[in-house]
Amino acid sequence: MNTSTTQLSVYWDADEDAEDIRRYTAGGFHPIRLGDVVFPPLSSSDSSPAKQYHVLHKLGRGAFATVWLAEVLHAPTQHYVALKICAAEADAWHELDIYNRISASDEMQNVLRLRDSFSLHGPNGVHTVLVHDVLANVFDVVNPIRGRKHARMLCRQIACGLAALHRHGIVHGDLHSGNIGIALPTLDGHPPRSILNYFGNPECIVVLPTAAPTHPAALPPYLLPSISIFDYLASKDPVFADTPFCAVIMDLGNAIAVDEETRPSSTPAAVCAPELMFERVVRSVRPSPTRASDIWSFACTIYELVFGGRLFRFANPDDALLGAMATLCGEVPLGWQSYWESHEWLRTLDISPEAADAGWARRLEDRMTGGGETHTRAELEEIFALLRSMLKIEPERRASAEEVLQHPWFARPDDASG
């Protein structure tokens, strides 16, 4: 999948929270204005009117989509949705197929549901629109200010979602904290005016090219930063404050079904399984993700949610990351041996089960003596035992999602720490 860009130059650059204006070109993003009404193409064969979605604000953006808060027009009751408007070049039909495979399952409470989908024709091409429930980011719930008392509950819910996907033959392929959302069950009870007044006048960055664009209609009139609906609900909705949080696995754009052709992995380096990373570093190829690589990614995500930092800091696809993985696990896989022996720096690393045990013991002591830790030693030992069962360098030795779900750490009473 190529990322289309142009050489467009504008007078005012947007901040990092807004998408790159150069993505608004043939094959790229669809230009959206606040107040637009988005709906499927009209067809004379349709016997019922299609749903219409009134765009209210921007929720986020990714490499291949922008996401918008919209209200459903002409619905019996007030209802909000998130519109994921994919780039024209995005392989959205694959994502649709994945959603169709799980749409009839009652086990997917912790996996984002697809509520609607259609094609949108625009100046930059034909865009797939995926309609989902509105979610908050998991870091709205677990962060330095709010604390991490919900982390264990959320991790268990993620485990439920991942186990359900794996039971249905779906590998997520891109599981990390950025793809974990929090459900917002009380949102529909709030009128649009209340939400929009809370955030105030949008901080629009006007798109003014330094030279007349070849295709002016391809550009939006302005770019917008994203808003956090969680902030609004936490401030204005006492019922939401008393509602238990529910974690939802989202973004199945890189997922694969185990019975389909392999697809190259795009897992971020910080959560990428070693068998995938080794191929990226040594052979410059991207193997297909697997259930076992999901487990490694999930372990890294648990560590980040529980402890607030990444297991592999400043991770890049290089020898340093391979060395850190082998050191953490206490062994070098047989298939890595020849590469290892040919690199002097890798040969100097202290890699053994004893060294790995000592490293985990140091982590535990650092947690106990670092100040501010809310976990008991017994619980830390449980968490580390869970993580080590998932962080095996050989994929076939990792715990399955079902085994992770049955771990004693998840059986602790709800009022326990963590």
Side-chain angles (χ1 to χ4, degrees):
M1 198 183 301
N2 296 320
T3 302
S4 297
T5 59
T6 69
Q7 298 304 311
L8 179 70
S9 173
V10 294
Y11 281 104
W12 302 290
D13 293 325
D15 61 27
E16 294 182 356
D17 195 28
E19 64 275 16
D20 187 345
I21 186 60
R22 295 175 299 169
R23 293 288 282 122
Y24 287 94
T25 186
F29 292 154
H30 177 69
I32 284 287
R33 298 173 299 179
L34 298 182
D36 282 352
V37 176
V38 180
F39 52 88
L42 299 177
S43 172
S44 58
S45 62
D46 291 338
S47 57
S48 59
K51 290 181 179 178
Q52 297 184 346
Y53 304 99
H54 181 215
V55 176
L56 300 177
H57 220 306
K58 182 179 169 188
L59 293 174
R61 48 87 181 175
F64 295 100
T66 55
V67 185
W68 303 86
L69 174 68
E71 60 175 331
V72 183
L73 296 181
H74 315 301
T77 59
Q78 178 71 57
H79 184 52
Y80 298 99
V81 294
L83 299 182
K84 180 179 178 180
I85 304 179
C86 301
E89 67 184 0
D91 185 12
W93 290 108
H94 170 77
E95 187 172 359
L96 279 172
D97 177 64
I98 296 294
Y99 278 114
N100 288 334
R101 288 171 180 257
I102 64 175
S103 61
S105 173
D106 293 329
E107 302 177 82
M108 298 292 174
Q109 297 93 335
N110 298 110
V111 179
L112 184 61
R113 293 294 188 97
L114 182 68
R115 301 301 183 183
D116 191 10
S117 65
F118 54 91
S119 295
L120 177 63
H121 295 256
N124 294 326
V126 180
H127 308 261
T128 298
V129 180
L130 307 178
V131 183
H132 299 291
D133 294 332
V134 182
L135 299 177
N137 187 284
V138 70
F139 288 121
D140 289 328
V141 175
V142 287
N143 57 46
I145 297 175
R146 297 184 183 275
R148 302 190 178 277
K149 63 180 180 179
H150 301 291
R152 182 185 52 79
M153 176 188 68
L154 297 176
C155 288
R156 187 185 189 284
Q157 293 169 351
I158 299 166
C160 287
L162 186 61
L165 286 172
H166 285 187
R167 282 195 297 270
H168 285 74
I170 304 297
V171 173
H172 187 277
D174 195 20
L175 188 63
H176 56 82
S177 56
N179 281 337
I180 305 298
I182 301 296
L184 304 173
T186 67
L187 177 60
D188 288 344
H190 295 262
R193 182 177 295 276
S194 176
I195 297 172
L196 297 181
N197 282 346
Y198 175 82
F199 292 103
N201 292 334
E203 298 177 2
C204 301
I205 304 297
V206 175
V207 175
L208 180 60
T210 57
T214 305
H215 302 289
L219 301 174
Y222 46 79
L223 296 177
L224 288 168
S226 306
I227 61 170
S228 169
I229 295 295
F230 182 92
D231 289 347
Y232 165 77
L233 291 175
S235 173
K236 298 293 185 179
D237 189 340
V239 175
F240 176 72
D242 294 332
T243 303
F245 293 121
C246 178
V248 180
I249 297 175
M250 57 187 186
D251 196 346
L252 300 182
N254 292 305
I256 64 167
V258 294
D259 62 351
E260 70 175 326
E261 293 183 6
T262 59
R263 294 171 61 87
S265 65
S266 57
T267 316
V271 299
C272 185
E275 65 274 15
L276 304 183
M277 184 54 61
F278 183 81
E279 296 298 319
R280 286 176 64 179
V281 173
V282 177
R283 299 187 177 93
S284 299
V285 297
R286 291 176 175 266
S288 186
T290 64
R291 289 185 178 98
S293 66
D294 271 355
I295 294 298
W296 180 282
S297 298
F298 183 28
C300 296
T301 303
I302 290 175
Y303 189 95
E304 184 176 8
L305 295 181
V306 172
F307 299 122
R310 290 183 174 180
L311 183 60
F312 298 100
R313 298 179 182 179
F314 311 112
N316 289 297
D318 54 24
D319 286 350
L321 181 54
L322 295 179
M325 290 172 165
T327 301
L328 180 83
C329 298
E331 60 181 311
V332 178
L334 184 61
W336 296 17
Q337 294 287 351
S338 60
Y339 182 78
W340 222 259
E341 293 302 319
S342 66
H343 290 71
E344 181 178 358
W345 178 79
L346 292 174
R347 292 200 309 269
T348 64
L349 297 177
D350 181 11
I351 298 173
S352 67
E354 295 76 17
D357 290 343
W360 283 100
R362 285 193 298 272
R363 282 188 179 87
L364 191 148
E365 294 304 324
D366 288 344
R367 290 289 165 191
M368 293 303 301
T369 61
E373 184 59 64
T374 59
H375 304 94
T376 64
R377 178 178 291 273
E379 187 180 6
L380 284 173
E381 290 173 347
E382 264 187 354
I383 296 170
F384 284 180
L386 169 62
L387 293 175
R388 296 191 73 178
S389 73
M390 303 167 71
L391 295 167
K392 302 291 187 184
I393 205 158
E394 297 286 5
E396 63 273 11
R397 290 163 49 202
R398 289 173 207 150
S400 68
E402 298 287 356
E403 290 169 336
V404 169
L405 193 53
Q406 298 305 315
H407 193 273
W409 184 52
F410 291 130
R412 283 178 167 264
D414 287 341
D415 61 352
S417 62

